[in-house]
Amino acid sequence: MRMKKFLAVALSVAMVFSMVACGKKDDNKNAGEGENITATVAPEEEKGNGIITPEFAAGTAGETLWNAFLETMEANPETAPFDMANSLSANPVIPFMAGAMEVEPGFLAGFSADITGFEKGAQYGPMMGSIAFAGYIFELADGADVKAFIETLKSNANPRWNVCVAADYTQIGAYENTVHFLMYPAEMDNASAVGGEGAEEATVIYPDVEENTWGETLWEAFETTMNDNPSATAVDAAFMVSMHESNPSDAMFGAAEMMPGLLAGFDENEITGFKSCAMFGPQMSSIAFVGYVFELEEGADVNAFMTELTENCNPDWNECVSADQTVVGAYNNMVFFLMCPNSNQGE
């Protein structure tokens, strides 16, 4: 439960920052304009059992998410919006770190006007980064005009709400009084991006790490993150490892983006040669812990970079305490580096 609450807060903060980073939305843009935008609720798609099916192409991410929504609602029509959004955020078709949060009537990302008229709502989408993706679950009151609400969403949807990028597809459907709204980019339909047919097998360099140690646990957390989201960035991966349940809560673990140069744990040796990097570790308390996720350029010599890290690191960089183990591994062009005690209990 603590993890879900933290993820919800993190998602909320990340969404706010992504909107601020990209600037204010262009009020002169007509909501929903764009050659590749579809937000059609065709009369022939309406079924007698209270289901309004959105328009989508077969084999797309939109179809997958709609089917997941419909399957859940048919199995349990009482599913709460947040529970539904949380479930959809974990769908393998989503190639980025996603989460869910409850929303209230009013301004919602992805729309050019306030959205009201629903009793409960939840949003699901990327926790970090500028991605043209916005998903919502709206629960309306019994007897509410579902078609009218869908038309309101349709007329106010703005695929260019994020001025950095634009959504290619918009689809809106409903199961009785629960409405599913989705805007997403076309690249999500690339099978290789979501681990589907045609995806290349990952090249993994496993670290030499002692079993049943903290280092092994966090390496496995990193590998799992990359398996689930092969397109994860260094910051994404570092953030997820920092959130692992094995990390002591009183140390307030977190992640931050880093630049080439002097990095903690490497004394006076500058670390360069990477495309991006994120550091993860405790924000409070004296723990001999420092972790990094490095993203190298495609085709870079991963083994040489790992050797450089191993030769230049110093387990005694923290004068108060010393790390017991150094863990260095890689997943494709993503390098995982960690110095930490064998146990998170300081044993």
Side-chain angles (χ1 to χ4, degrees):
M1 182 62 70
R2 177 174 64 84
M3 179 71 74
K4 286 186 177 181
K5 289 182 178 178
F6 189 95
L7 287 174
V9 172
L11 172 64
S12 177
V13 172
M15 287 179 173
V16 170
F17 277 122
S18 67
M19 286 189 290
V20 171
C22 292
K24 299 180 181 179
K25 65 179 184 291
D26 189 348
D27 294 331
N28 292 324
K29 294 286 185 181
N30 293 325
E33 71 173 5
E35 295 180 357
N36 297 323
I37 304 304
T38 61
T40 303
V41 181
E44 61 270 23
E45 295 291 341
E46 299 176 13
K47 300 181 180 180
N49 57 359
I51 298 176
I52 301 176
T53 303
E55 181 179 285
F56 49 73
T60 61
E63 180 189 38
T64 299
L65 292 173
W66 165 256
N67 287 340
F69 164 80
L70 188 60
E71 181 179 351
T72 300
M73 294 305 301
E74 289 179 334
N76 181 15
E78 302 301 318
T79 301
F82 176 78
D83 293 336
M84 174 62 75
N86 195 45
S87 175
L88 292 176
S89 72
N91 193 289
V93 78
I94 296 179
F96 48 77
M97 299 297 177
M101 58 179 286
E102 295 182 341
V103 296
E104 299 289 338
F107 173 75
L108 300 178
F111 297 97
S112 58
D114 287 355
I115 301 300
T116 59
F118 61 92
E119 290 196 335
K120 296 180 181 179
Q123 179 180 8
Y124 68 99
M127 298 178 65
M128 304 184 73
S130 296
I131 302 174
F133 182 104
Y136 289 94
I137 306 296
F138 298 103
E139 182 181 309
L140 280 57
D142 291 339
D145 190 336
V146 176
K147 294 180 183 178
F149 183 76
I150 288 178
E151 287 301 322
T152 296
L153 297 180
K154 179 180 176 181
S155 61
N156 288 290
N158 180 10
R160 293 179 175 81
W161 87 97
N162 184 335
V163 297
C164 300
V165 289
D168 298 293
Y169 306 113
T170 302
Q171 62 185 56
I172 315 170
Y175 180 91
E176 297 181 350
N177 67 323
T178 300
V179 177
H180 178 229
F181 174 92
L182 175 66
M183 288 195 294
Y184 72 97
E187 55 262 29
M188 276 184 58
D189 292 332
N190 184 341
S192 63
V194 295
E197 183 179 353
E200 296 183 1
E201 184 176 353
T203 299
V204 182
I205 302 176
Y206 289 93
D208 181 12
V209 58
E210 186 178 348
E211 294 184 356
N212 301 317
T213 60
W214 197 9
E216 181 191 44
T217 298
L218 294 182
W219 159 259
E220 291 176 348
F222 165 76
E223 185 182 7
T224 298
T225 296
M226 296 308 302
N227 281 331
D228 291 343
N229 299 276
S231 60
T233 65
V235 175
D236 291 336
F239 176 76
M240 294 306 293
V241 175
S242 75
M243 290 290 296
H244 194 267
E245 60 185 2
S246 68
N247 299 327
S249 59
D250 58 354
M252 295 184 63
F253 272 61
E257 190 171 4
M258 305 297 291
M259 301 296 291
L262 293 176
L263 300 178
F266 295 96
D267 291 334
E268 299 302 318
N269 300 299
E270 292 192 356
I271 303 299
T272 59
F274 55 85
K275 178 180 178 181
S276 63
C277 169
M279 177 182 183
F280 63 92
Q283 298 182 39
M284 300 180 64
S285 77
S286 294
I287 302 177
F289 185 111
V290 61
Y292 295 95
V293 177
F294 299 94
E295 179 183 2
L296 308 187
E297 295 285 355
E298 295 292 339
D301 190 335
V302 175
N303 284 289
F305 184 78
M306 292 171 59
T307 299
E308 178 185 354
L309 296 180
T310 302
E311 292 178 347
N312 289 293
C313 69
N314 177 12
D316 299 314
W317 88 97
N318 187 325
E319 295 180 358
C320 301
V321 287
S322 178
D324 301 306
Q325 59 179 170
T326 300
V327 183
V328 189
Y331 187 101
N332 291 336
N333 65 323
M334 304 289 284
V335 175
F336 176 90
F337 176 89
L338 171 66
M339 289 191 294
C340 68
N342 284 322
S343 167
N344 62 353
Q345 302 301 320
E347 299 175 355

